[in-house]
Structures are given as structure tokens and as C-alpha cells.
Amino acid sequence: MSEEFHVGDVVEGVITGVQPYGAFVSISDEVQGLVHISEVKNGFVKDISDHVHEGDKVKVKILEIDDEQNKYALSIRALEPERTETRNENAISEKEGEHGFNTLKDKLKEWIKQSE
């Protein structure tokens, strides 16, 4: 195994092969690793070929190194900016006093009186 790479390193490589389960990336003359399909991008990837192609230059983060089996687990997704969920204007939590269990509890007494 190469002593020049460590878990957490961000390196540039070239995709040398694409399979349905992931992409093989050469990060040096002696070292090749796998970007599993789940590590290609945030979100669901149905077909990896829609996102990467043989010959593409990519930056990857080294997730794991298995010295015994000479395997590197790599990630492209780990280098994407974190997604921040946009808040839905119609979310229940946004309309305090209009929706939610506490409001139901408070309204229950009023509804019981109305039904009598």
C-alpha cells in the first residue's frame, strides 16, 4: 500500500471504469479506489453513468483504507456542500396557534361545548 495517502485526504483522480455499483478511480500510478454509487452525490442515484464517465477527472475524499486487501473507499459526495433544507412556508410549525396537537387539546373544550 502507498504510504502517501491517509483517511480524510482529498485527492484528484481519474475514473478508470464505471460499473452499476460504483466507479473505479485511479489516484496514483499504484493506487486505485472505488466510489460506491451511494457516494457519488447527495440524493438517490439510479444510474451512475448519468453522473460520471470513464476518463473524468474528479476530486475524491478517502473514506477508508484496507491495507490487507489493498482497497480504498472513496467519496465524491463528501466534497459537496451540505444541503440545507428550505423551510416550507405552509409547514405546521410555522403557523403557531393554527395547527398542532396543543391547539387541538385547547380547542377540544370549545368543540365539546359547541356540540352540547
Side-chain angles (χ1 to χ4, degrees):
M1 274 322 245
S2 172
E3 294 296 321
E4 65 183 298
F5 298 112
H6 305 285
V7 171
D9 286 353
V10 176
V11 295
E12 191 168 286
V14 177
I15 295 179
T16 58
V18 178
Q19 297 294 321
Y21 54 85
F24 292 95
V25 178
S26 175
I27 57 175
S28 79
D29 290 338
E30 307 87 30
V31 178
Q32 187 169 16
L34 176 71
V35 176
H36 188 268
I37 190 169
S38 66
E39 291 296 331
V40 171
K41 70 176 218 86
N42 285 316
F44 178 71
V45 175
K46 182 176 182 178
D47 185 355
I48 192 170
S49 297
D50 292 340
H51 304 280
V52 295
H53 303 91
E54 194 170 323
D56 287 353
K57 288 185 181 181
V58 292
K59 281 193 177 188
V60 294
K61 183 174 185 177
I62 300 174
L63 300 179
E64 291 181 41
I65 299 174
D66 183 341
D67 288 326
E68 291 178 14
Q69 297 200 1
N70 195 26
K71 292 183 178 179
Y72 279 62
L74 308 173
S75 176
I76 297 170
R77 175 180 78 144
L79 301 176
E80 288 185 359
E82 285 190 38
R83 291 187 338 184
T84 55
E85 297 297 321
T86 57
R87 298 197 82 154
N88 183 346
E89 296 288 326
N90 296 319
I92 289 174
S93 63
E94 293 293 322
K95 296 185 174 183
E96 290 182 28
E98 292 183 33
H99 301 285
F101 293 109
N102 286 336
T103 303
L104 290 175
K105 181 180 133 189
D106 296 339
K107 291 280 189 180
L108 185 59
K109 291 177 187 171
E110 181 183 327
W111 294 333
I112 290 173
K113 278 186 179 179
Q114 288 176 354
S115 68
E116 292 175 345

